[in-house]
Every structure is written in C-alpha cells, then in structure tokens.
Amino acid sequence: MSTPAAHPSPRPYQSYVYAYPHKTAYRPLDGDRPTLRRLWAHERKDALSLYAHIPFCEVRCGFCNLFTRIGAPDELTGRYLDALDRQAVAVRDALGDDAPVHFAAAAFGGGTPTFLTAQELERLCDIAEKRMGADLGAVPLSVETSPATATADRLAVLAGRGTTRISIGVQSFVDAEARAAVRPQRRAEVESALGRIRDSRIPVLNIDLIYGIDGQTERTWLSSLDAALAWRPEELYLYPLYVRPLTGLGRLGEAAGGSVGDSARVTAGDAAWDEQRLRLYRAGRDHLLAHEYEQVSMRMFRRAGAPPAAADACQTDGMIGLGCGARSYTSALHYSFDYAVDMREIRGIIDGYTRSEDFSRAEVGRYVDADEARRRHLLQSLLQAQGMEVAGYRERFGADPADHFRTELERFAARGWLDSAAAPDRLRLTPEGLAHSDALGPELFSPAVRAAMATYELK
C-alpha cells in the first residue's frame, strides 16, 4: 500500500462531477450519425428515464454555465415546444414496439422549466405522456423552478400532473450574497415562492444553496441554512461555487485582469478560496447532520423520515433526453445536440433546433466502451455516501474493482479517502473522501476522456 506522502491531496475543487463522460468530451458524429432506431434496438426499455430540457431563464446567474438563454422573444417557447413534440414523435417511433416500452422516472430541467406559462407546462406534460407514453401520475417526476417563476398557476399545473419533487435554486438567503453571485433576487421573493411551493403540496421540496460566494462568512452561510431549514425541506443540495470560462463571473474576472478580486474568484491556484469552501462545506455538513439530515453525497442531504427519493433520472443508462440541451444514454453511446456557454452560440443552437424536422439520428456524442462503463459505474457509485457493493461490481464486470483500478484505489486509501471500517464487500468514502469528491472524481476519468476535454473548444 502506498504511503500518504507519496500521494499528496490535489486541490479539492477541480471539476463538478455529476455525469461521465463529461459533455465536453462529446464530439460531432460526422462519419457515423447512427439512427436512433439502431441505437435503441437492443437496449432494455422496461425502465427508461425521461428528461425534458427547457433552455430558458428570466435571468442568467453569474456562475451558470448551463445550456440556457435569457428570455424567449417572438413566441420562441411555442416554437421550441413544437420542435420538442416533433422530436418526441421521432424518438418514440425509434423505440419501436417489439419490446415493452415503460418509463420509470421523469424530470424537467433547464434552464428553468417554469419559465413556461401554465398552459405551456400542460403542453410539456402532454408531450411526455401522449407522445412518449410516460405516465407522469404514476412515476417520480422532478421539476426545477426559480423564485420568480414559481407562481401559483404553474405550481398548480405541476401538482395536478403528478410532480413528486420540486427543486428551487435559492443559492443564498442573504441579498448581498445573491448580488455577488450575479443573481438578482430578494429574500422576500424567495420566501414567498417557498410558501407557494408548500401550498401546492408537492411531496418533496429541494432547496439549492451555494457556498464560497464573495463576502460569505460562516455566520452568513449558517444563517442561509437556517432560513432554508425553517421550511423543513425534504432535500438540500449544497454546491461549491465554481467560476467557469464564459460565465458572468468568469467575464468579470477577465475584465479585472484575471486576478481574485471582490467580484469574482478566478485564480486557479487560489488556495485560500479552496480552504474557505472546504471550511464552509464542513460547517454546513455538520449543521445539517445535527438537524437530522442524512448525507447522501457530497452535495445532497435528505431529511430523516422524508419520502424515499427516486434514483437520479438524469444519470442512468436508458435515459431519453428531449430538447436541445438534453443528453440521452444508451449502454454504448451517450449523445446530445451541440453544447455551448456563450449566449450567442446558445441562441444559434436553439434556433437550429426549432427549425429541425429530422430527429431520427444522433448528432453529437461519445461511445462508451467496457473500460468507460467500468469507470462510470465506479465513479457514480463511490461518490454516494453509502458507497458501492463490490459484489454488484463483480457481477456486472466479472472482476473486483481493485483488479481494474488498483492504482487509483490505493492512492485514495493513502490519502485517507477510503473507509477502512466499511464492510468487507463495500467500498465507501470517509467523510474527508466525500469532501474531496470533486478531486476524486476526475482522477477516475480515462486518459482519452481527459484528452478530449482538454481539447474541447469553448464557445
């Protein structure tokens, strides 16, 4: 076993790891644009996940690098839903009827799905049900919202169509911190939105909060947590702030000469900011654990006794993504449309999507071979607080994880990231290992994926 000195810990905040391979490793499938019918011909279709992406927001937060645009002029939302409808027809046709097609979970994300009007949300649900065949009233349905768009009429539609979970991005209950994150909102508006959500009686409320904002202290961070806890949310997600290229905060940092200033944290080697985020993460984690929340992953905490959560509908094989910002996962290929962060590029991609009449082929993606499948499974399992059953890995891949990832696992153990007290047949992270999930995850990326991500052209 390697010694701790041989493997010093890397910077704790390297890459927000929530999917693998990362979308920046995707490339146009120019020479082989496979038909969806061929891609799904031999896939299991009895427990599919459905994800619909709505790429519109009323504002764009300074930290956001998601595929979304501000506003929707000239009836763009209607044209977008028209295209979503055409895509759904093509995808459902490609799934065929040779084997039963059943959806086990659904999610609407973005962007902000509740940017759509109540009537448009009804249409979105109709597309999911009448075109795709998903029974939204019988499966877990998660929907993302924002304080400004969580209106009573929209929430009534979502509740009536079977929504079981609503996730609201608050980020901070401190107005000055929200402004520092380039997220114009007032606490009074947030509290009103949370009241409307609770009035809707959607069973699970999730609140997203961010730590590492300029000017944030442990006191203000805990005050935001307490403000969230007052609503007794079933789930809380705690996200570290990242400042990425082409985002609002990233541009502010560039304008300031690339240094760490009051408006943005952009220097890659800023050890002080790393330490601040780690300190706030630990304080937040301990605060939630003391208030009877259980830790599910580095980011996710669930209230004791809350309704059981469905598996993440957005990260499993057998996922159907609708919309130009959505990904779809088969066992052999992850595919999507083009990806961008710059607003001009995003507008062009959305306009192209709304004009498209042919959705029968995969356009952009990355093939997943046996090695990548093993990495994906280990990464997604190990980053959960409960860890991974070795027997399940062995049954799926024919060997122990140590046979495939001995070097990486020894390195993690040397850093104190693996729990030596876990059951013999379970790989589990220590609390410190969970704290370093955004450093551990990237170390499991394959050389090929690393190379593709490094050569991705930002746009």
Side-chain angles (χ1 to χ4, degrees):
M1 184 69 69
S2 303
T3 63
H7 298 294
S9 294
R11 294 189 63 229
Y13 299 102
Q14 297 186 30
S15 176
Y16 173 25
V17 180
Y18 65 97
Y20 182 80
H22 193 273
K23 199 169 185 178
T24 56
Y26 292 15
R27 292 294 184 270
L29 301 169
D30 294 330
D32 176 25
R33 292 175 59 238
T35 65
L36 301 190
R37 183 175 291 276
R38 175 160 68 89
L39 280 176
W40 288 96
H42 303 294
E43 297 289 316
R44 287 189 57 179
K45 304 168 193 146
D46 58 338
L48 297 171
S49 297
L50 177 65
Y51 176 75
H53 183 266
I54 305 300
F56 307 108
C57 289
E58 73 277 12
V59 295
R60 194 173 199 198
C61 303
F63 51 82
C64 178
N65 73 334
L66 299 177
F67 187 92
T68 186
R69 61 161 291 165
I70 301 171
D74 303 322
E75 300 181 343
L76 179 57
T77 54
R79 298 200 307 276
Y80 185 83
L81 289 173
D82 289 344
L84 199 76
D85 193 304
R86 295 194 298 272
Q87 185 188 6
V89 170
V91 172
R92 183 59 188 85
D93 179 69
L95 292 176
D97 294 307
D98 295 338
V101 176
H102 174 71
F103 288 90
F108 302 156
T112 308
T114 49
F115 181 90
L116 300 178
T117 65
Q119 184 176 4
E120 289 171 332
L121 285 171
E122 290 276 20
R123 185 180 180 197
L124 177 62
C125 292
D126 284 344
I127 291 170
E129 292 199 322
K130 297 177 181 179
R131 299 301 194 204
M132 294 302 301
D135 186 352
L136 298 183
V139 302
L141 170 61
S142 177
V143 182
E144 296 174 9
T145 191
S146 68
T149 62
T151 59
D153 59 339
R154 292 174 169 105
L155 292 168
V157 168
L158 294 176
R161 298 302 291 260
T163 301
T164 56
R165 177 182 183 270
I166 191 115
S167 178
I168 183 168
V170 172
Q171 319 318 347
S172 176
F173 284 84
V174 179
D175 289 353
E177 292 177 4
R179 289 193 299 271
V182 194
R183 183 181 177 85
Q185 68 184 24
R186 293 182 300 167
R187 177 169 175 173
E189 297 168 342
V190 172
E191 300 280 1
S192 294
L194 288 167
R196 292 190 295 272
I197 290 171
R198 280 312 197 194
D199 288 344
S200 75
R201 300 190 179 278
I202 292 172
V204 174
L205 164 64
N206 172 70
I207 298 176
D208 289 346
L209 297 173
I210 285 181
Y211 55 92
I213 301 170
D214 273 336
Q216 191 176 52
T217 65
E218 185 171 325
R219 180 185 61 80
T220 63
W221 171 232
L222 294 180
S223 73
S224 271
L225 284 171
D226 284 336
L229 289 172
W231 293 96
R232 290 185 53 77
E234 285 70 26
E235 295 176 4
L236 278 160
Y237 271 74
L238 310 185
Y239 289 96
L241 178 65
Y242 277 96
V243 176
R244 303 173 179 91
L246 303 183
T247 62
L249 287 177
R251 294 186 191 282
L252 283 173
E254 292 172 4
S259 61
V260 175
D262 290 336
S263 60
R265 304 281 188 172
V266 295
T267 302
D270 187 6
W273 190 32
D274 284 346
E275 183 53 41
Q276 180 209 20
R277 285 180 287 180
L278 269 177
R279 184 174 63 254
L280 293 176
Y281 160 78
R282 291 169 179 144
R285 174 198 63 195
D286 294 347
H287 196 66
L288 293 184
L289 293 177
H291 283 78
E292 298 185 342
Y293 280 73
E294 63 176 352
Q295 186 166 19
V296 179
S297 66
M298 172 188 171
R299 291 170 175 77
M300 182 183 177
F301 295 79
R302 183 183 299 121
R303 198 185 77 215
D312 189 342
C314 299
Q315 305 306 333
T316 56
D317 291 341
M319 187 178 86
I320 301 288
L322 299 178
C324 58
R327 300 180 230 192
S328 296
Y329 301 146
T330 70
S331 59
L333 178 70
H334 293 186
Y335 64 93
S336 65
F337 296 90
D338 203 1
Y339 169 70
V341 176
D342 180 77
M343 192 61 68
R344 184 182 305 172
E345 296 282 351
I346 289 173
R347 287 196 295 263
I349 294 170
I350 293 174
D351 289 344
Y353 175 81
T354 62
R355 292 192 298 266
S356 181
E357 297 291 339
D358 182 6
F359 292 101
S360 64
R361 294 178 179 271
E363 301 287 339
V364 177
R366 186 168 190 88
Y367 285 97
V368 179
D369 61 17
D371 175 65
E372 299 291 17
R374 291 191 293 265
R375 291 177 184 276
R376 174 176 164 80
H377 182 86
L378 178 61
L379 187 154
Q380 292 187 322
S381 302
L382 192 56
L383 294 185
Q384 299 297 304
Q386 66 181 3
M388 183 186 76
E389 290 187 2
V390 174
Y393 183 98
R394 188 186 304 122
E395 180 179 355
R396 181 170 180 177
F397 299 111
D400 284 353
D403 295 329
H404 296 140
F405 301 103
R406 182 173 304 279
T407 299
E408 292 89 345
L409 292 175
E410 288 185 348
R411 186 187 310 140
F412 300 157
R415 292 174 181 155
W417 290 356
L418 290 183
D419 184 0
S420 59
D425 200 44
R426 180 171 293 274
L427 272 177
R428 186 173 64 200
L429 297 180
T430 61
E432 200 60 16
L434 276 177
H436 286 79
S437 292
D438 284 1
L440 183 153
E443 294 198 29
L444 291 172
F445 293 2
S446 71
V449 164
R450 288 173 182 272
M453 292 174 65
T455 57
Y456 175 77
E457 183 178 348
L458 292 171
K459 58 184 177 182

